[in-house]
Amino acid sequence: MPNGSNEGLHVAIIMDGNGRWATRRGLPRVAGHRAGVAAVQRVVERALDLGVRCLTLYAFSSDNWRRPAPEVQSIFWLLRAFLRLETKRLRQRGARLEIIGRRDRLAESVLREIEKAESATAMGRNIHVRVAIDYSSRDAITRAAAGAAAVLEHERVPSAELLATMMMETMNTQSADVDLLIRTGGEKRLSDFLLWESAYAELLFTDRMWPDFGEADLEAALEEFKRRERRFGGVVSVEPQTAVASIGSGL
Ligand code: IPE
Ligand code: IPE
Ligand code: MG
C-alpha cells in the first residue's frame, strides 16, 4: 500500500555537504555552515506546512569533534545564533525544539541557549524539531543498554521495548521510529545517526549539497516516500485467512 499523508511522519535528515558547497565556490567551509543554517530555516517551515510530525536534524556528530578547532567553534557559534534568533519564530509557529545528544561536553554558553530555547518552545504541538548535537547513535544505544542492565535483575535479558524506553530516558526525548531518512551531500552512509530508530526507515540519498536543499526537495522526498511500499517484514495483499492458514501449518 502506498503511504498516505504526511501527518504523523518522522523525517530525519543527515544535513551533509556544507563544506564542499563552500569549497566549490572558493569560500571558507564556515560559509557553507552559515548557508546550511538558512536551509534549516526553510526546511523547518516547509515541514510544518506539510504536516510532518517530527523532524530530526543531524547537525553535529560526536565524531565531528575531530575537526579543526576553528571549524568546531564556528559551528557552535552558528548554533547559538540560530537558537537565539529562531526561538521566537518557532514558538509562534507552534514548534517544539529539542536538542538530542550528549550535553556534558557542551560549553556553558551553548547549554544556556539550548535550555532557553527548549523551555520557550516546550508547549509547541504542531511539529517536534529535534536537532542532534554531539550525537552518536552507538553511544545512545550503549547508554540505554547500561540503563537497562541497571534496572534488570541479574542475568535477565533486556527486551527491545525496555531498550527503546531506556533510550528515551537517557536521551530525554521520545525516540520514535524514523519513517523517512534523507542524506544530502552524495554519501551513502548513516555516519552513526539513529541506527536503532531507522530499522525500517525508507532511505533517500541525494547528491544535493545541504545548503542547496530547499522546500521543493523536501516535497519531492515526501512524494518519493509515498511511492515506496513498506512491508515491515510482512507481505502485501495477503488475504487474512491465507496468512492464518500458513502460520497454522507451521511452514
Ligand atoms: C555537514 O557538512 C555539517 C557537519 C558535519 C557539521 P560537512 O561539514 O560535513 O560538509 P562536507 O561533507 O565536508 O562537504
Ligand atoms: C555526518 O556528516 C554528520 C552530520 C551531517 C552532522 P559527516 O560529514 O560528519 O560524515 P562522514 O564523516 O562523511 O561520514
Ligand atoms: Mg560531511
Side-chain angles (χ1 to χ4, degrees):
M1 271 255 284
N3 307 295
S5 79
N6 307 315
E7 303 287 331
L9 281 191
H10 180 185
V11 177
I13 310 183
I14 302 174
M15 308 184 291
D16 195 24
N18 292 352
R20 279 164 288 160
W21 181 91
T23 307
R24 285 174 193 174
R25 285 165 175 73
L27 299 168
R29 289 176 60 88
V30 62
H33 297 310
R34 195 174 301 117
V37 174
V40 169
Q41 290 162 329
R42 288 197 298 271
V43 166
V44 169
E45 290 283 334
R46 199 71 197 111
L48 250 161
D49 294 337
L50 291 167
V52 169
R53 178 184 55 83
C54 182
L55 182 66
T56 305
L57 302 172
Y58 204 6
F60 189 84
S61 78
S62 294
D63 289 321
N64 289 149
W65 291 115
R66 295 182 186 161
R67 296 189 178 198
E71 178 168 347
V72 171
Q73 278 158 15
S74 42
I75 289 171
F76 279 99
W77 189 91
L78 286 166
L79 172 69
R80 281 209 317 272
F82 171 81
L83 294 172
R84 248 198 329 272
L85 301 171
E86 280 302 300
T87 298
K88 193 169 164 208
R89 173 87 183 140
L90 291 168
R91 184 189 158 104
Q92 278 168 350
R93 296 229 51 201
R96 173 154 68 105
L97 184 75
E98 208 171 61
I99 304 300
I100 60 168
R102 286 180 62 162
R103 297 200 179 195
D104 57 311
R105 299 189 286 196
L106 302 184
E108 263 305 311
S109 55
V110 176
L111 277 176
R112 265 201 310 278
E113 291 298 340
I114 288 175
E115 283 159 14
K116 267 202 267 177
E118 286 181 333
S119 63
T121 60
M123 301 306 285
R125 293 289 174 268
N126 295 340
I127 192 171
H128 188 186
V129 180
R130 307 193 311 169
V131 181
I133 307 280
D134 195 0
Y135 177 86
S136 153
S137 192
R138 283 187 171 176
D139 177 65
I141 295 168
T142 305
R143 283 192 290 144
V151 300
L152 283 174
E153 283 169 31
H154 198 48
E155 288 179 2
R156 283 199 47 212
V157 177
S159 63
E161 287 74 22
L162 177 61
L163 271 181
T165 307
M166 280 299 157
M167 207 112 67
M168 290 191 240
E169 274 184 24
T170 50
M171 301 286 291
N172 199 22
T173 184
Q174 302 286 323
S175 93
D177 282 352
V178 174
D179 295 300
L180 170 64
L181 177 72
I182 302 169
R183 180 173 189 142
T184 62
E187 312 295 359
K188 293 175 184 64
R189 53 179 172 255
L190 298 180
S191 303
D192 204 7
F193 189 47
L194 300 175
L195 303 180
W196 175 281
E197 295 87 343
S198 298
Y200 275 100
E202 294 297 326
L203 308 180
L204 195 149
F205 299 99
T206 166
D207 289 337
R208 186 91 76 220
M209 297 293 142
W210 175 249
D212 288 331
F213 195 85
E215 290 95 334
D217 296 305
L218 180 66
E219 282 162 33
L222 287 165
E223 286 307 314
E224 162 70 21
F225 172 78
K226 284 177 195 154
R227 286 192 291 274
R228 304 265 181 103
E229 190 178 82
R230 305 185 81 190
R231 292 191 284 276
F232 299 99
V235 284
V236 171
S237 309
V238 175
E239 296 294 321
Q241 302 91 310
T242 321
V244 172
S246 61
I247 291 166
S249 72
L251 294 173

